[in-house]
Amino acid sequence: MPPWSRRSAVPPLTPYFVMRVGQTPLLPHAAPGDAGQARERERQDHGPVVSGGSVRAAVDAAVGLEEVCAPVLALGDRPARLPTEEEAGEPAGRYGSCWGGE
């Protein structure tokens, strides 16, 4: 699927995703073992690569990403009601998540 926007491959389908994962950029393809992959959150054709302040935080981010991707894939081309910038911004700000802007 093409990325949802320039800043996030995945749309803000749920408040949990905005709060716990945040924007998830889709980056260009790179060969396996590329040193830059370790710093990125999502690499085209490689699946998710997450990080966090702890192993638990990284696992929580990976689970949150997987949980929002399932309904995104199930929706396909059908429209979904996504939160507005203001609606997404409130939980993002409260939980220190990176979300906002196009």
Side-chain angles (χ1 to χ4, degrees):
M1 295 177 65
W4 173 73
S5 76
R6 262 186 28 247
R7 298 189 72 179
S8 187
V10 182
L13 193 59
T14 67
Y16 177 82
F17 178 73
V18 172
M19 294 176 341
R20 308 303 275 169
V21 180
Q23 293 175 338
T24 307
L26 181 66
L27 302 165
H29 175 81
D34 181 287
Q37 286 188 34
R39 294 185 304 272
E40 309 304 345
R41 294 185 54 145
E42 181 80 17
R43 179 67 73 173
Q44 183 177 326
D45 304 325
H46 286 270
V49 176
V50 297
S51 63
S54 67
V55 171
R56 172 107 182 157
V59 169
D60 287 346
V63 169
L65 180 58
E66 292 291 330
E67 285 178 346
V68 83
C69 285
V72 167
L73 290 171
L75 281 168
D77 291 351
R78 293 183 299 274
R81 194 263 185 213
L82 300 176
T84 65
E85 285 290 327
E86 294 78 26
E87 292 168 337
E90 191 279 323
R94 186 170 358 131
Y95 288 88
S97 174
C98 174
W99 196 272
E102 173 55 30

